[in-house]
Amino acid sequence: MRLAIDVHLDYGFPAPADVLLQIEAALLPDQRIVEAVMDVFSDHPIRAVPGEEGIGQRCWARGDGRLVVDYRALIDVDRPVVALEAYAATPIRMLPGPVTAYLLPSRYCQSDRLEGFVLREFAGLDGGPLAAALAAWVEGAIDYRSGSSMGETTALDTFATRAGVCRDYAHLLVALARGGGIPARCVSAYAPGVDPPDFHAVAELWLEGAWRLVDATGMARCQDIARVGVGRDATDIAFMTIFGSAWLQRQEVRVRAVQERAAD
């Protein structure tokens, strides 16, 4: 699948502030960058730094009065369909070192508080069958509702209110998976068909030696998703982190699936 991505950000700043951007699709074995350009309209220099685990990159910019960013890209995604149920469980003691951290609770994903629920409601399941059951439960139990959550909303909040947006779905699935002994991380991404069009958040679960993408909202297929960055939760994958204050003037995110890819 080839994805055409267009992003426009326009923010105003009452006082100069540093801004950490994370909007460029990552170059990975299962997604190839055909072309990409990011224009940052600012009087200050920008600086690129690696993303979490070396996946993708972030860009430091400076908001001074106004900051405008345009990002355009064509991304070829070549990823097989994920059949979660087919994957066997990996004993926790056999996990690779870097993966072990994704078993632990984090700021927005309090997996230790949801472990009891997972053990009761999904007794007898582990590995891929558990992952599939958790993803189906989150998709069915949570109502997608714009404006129903805030930046401080956690997985526990979403579990209680049963409403949220893509970030909340991802947080809840990640927390439940960790509570069931499956390493899980959050992923910022682009995907076609997301309604309303915006930056998207999904989950990745570690099953049979690899990370497997899962969109608990059900809006995107794993084979159509372009990753931007990964991390423990929204703290690590935010598309923009402002070290100060700013106001939104305009923001647009458009992702189109291009069915016919150009010949290489």
Side-chain angles (χ1 to χ4, degrees), residues 92 103-105 109-123 130 134 156 159 172 174-182:
I92 290 177
L103 278 173
L104 306 177
C109 301
Q110 310 99 316
S111 51
D112 53 329
R113 303 283 298 278
L114 292 168
E115 183 177 347
F117 171 77
V118 175
L119 293 176
R120 289 192 306 273
E121 296 298 317
F122 303 92
L130 174 58
L134 292 174
L156 278 182
F159 183 78
L172 183 53
V174 164
L176 292 170
R178 291 177 187 171
I182 301 173

Side-chain angles (χ1 to χ4, degrees), residues 67-141:
L67 179 67
V68 177
V69 180
D70 286 317
Y71 173 66
R72 299 172 299 280
L74 285 177
I75 310 296
D76 280 348
V77 179
D78 185 10
R79 184 181 304 121
V81 177
V82 173
L84 295 178
E85 299 89 344
Y87 298 116
T90 300
I92 290 177
R93 65 184 182 278
M94 301 302 293
L95 292 172
V99 175
T100 304
Y102 293 106
L103 278 173
L104 306 177
S106 60
R107 176 182 176 184
Y108 293 105
C109 301
Q110 310 99 316
S111 51
D112 53 329
R113 303 283 298 278
L114 292 168
E115 183 177 347
F117 171 77
V118 175
L119 293 176
R120 289 192 306 273
E121 296 298 317
F122 303 92
L125 297 179
D126 60 8
L130 174 58
L134 292 174
W137 185 89
V138 172
E139 182 177 355

Side-chain angles (χ1 to χ4, degrees), residues 2-7 23-25 35 37 71-75 189-191 199 226-228 253-258:
R2 174 164 292 182
L3 301 179
I5 300 166
D6 290 279
V7 176
I23 65 173
E24 298 172 86
E35 59 183 61
V37 60
Y71 173 66
R72 299 172 299 280
L74 285 177
I75 310 296
Y190 293 111
F199 297 102
R227 299 184 198 86
V228 175
V253 178
R254 293 182 307 221
V255 182
R256 295 184 296 110
V258 182

Side-chain angles (χ1 to χ4, degrees), residues 16-264:
D18 290 320
V19 178
L20 186 60
L21 298 167
Q22 192 169 204
I23 65 173
E24 298 172 86
L27 175 62
L28 294 166
D30 58 0
Q31 57 186 59
R32 184 171 66 91
I33 300 173
V34 179
E35 59 183 61
V37 60
M38 185 169 75
D39 296 318
V40 180
F41 299 93
S42 171
D43 293 332
H44 301 271
I46 62 174
R47 184 171 68 92
V49 295
E52 289 287 320
E53 297 192 40
I55 294 177
Q57 71 174 15
R58 295 168 169 152
C59 176
W60 280 107
R62 182 78 170 166
D64 190 352
R66 187 182 182 192
L67 179 67
V68 177
V69 180
D70 286 317
Y71 173 66
R72 299 172 299 280
L74 285 177
I75 310 296
D76 280 348
V77 179
D78 185 10
R79 184 181 304 121
V81 177
V82 173
L84 295 178
E85 299 89 344
Y87 298 116
T90 300
I92 290 177
R93 65 184 182 278
M94 301 302 293
L95 292 172
V99 175
T100 304
Y102 293 106
L103 278 173
L104 306 177
S106 60
R107 176 182 176 184
Y108 293 105
C109 301
Q110 310 99 316
S111 51
D112 53 329
R113 303 283 298 278
L114 292 168
E115 183 177 347
F117 171 77
V118 175
L119 293 176
R120 289 192 306 273
E121 296 298 317
F122 303 92
L125 297 179
D126 60 8
L130 174 58
L134 292 174
W137 185 89
V138 172
E139 182 177 355
I142 308 304
D143 291 329
Y144 193 100
R145 193 181 306 157
S146 296
S148 61
S149 62
M150 301 178 295
E152 297 79 18
T153 300
T154 68
L156 278 182
D157 296 326
T158 304
F159 183 78
T161 63
R162 303 296 168 95
V165 294
C166 61
R167 156 189 153 135
D168 305 307
Y169 280 74
H171 278 160
L172 183 53
L173 177 56
V174 164
L176 292 170
R178 291 177 187 171
I182 301 173
R185 65 189 185 185
C186 291
V187 180
S188 55
Y190 293 111
V194 174
D195 185 22
D198 206 344
F199 297 102
H200 201 40
V202 297
E204 276 191 318
L205 279 53
W206 182 266
L207 297 165
E208 278 197 21
W211 290 107
R212 317 290 179 177
L213 277 166
V214 186
D215 182 3
T217 70
M219 288 192 287
R221 304 180 305 171
C222 70
Q223 63 267 34
D224 298 338
I225 294 172
R227 299 184 198 86
V228 175
V230 304
R232 296 160 298 172
D233 52 36
T235 305
D236 298 330
I237 66 169
F239 78 92
M240 176 184 283
T241 304
I242 300 170
F243 295 83
S245 60
W247 67 86
L248 170 66
Q249 299 192 135
R250 182 182 167 204
Q251 178 173 304
E252 293 182 2
V253 178
R254 293 182 307 221
V255 182
R256 295 184 296 110
V258 182
Q259 298 298 332
E260 296 295 332
R261 299 197 323 194
D264 295 328

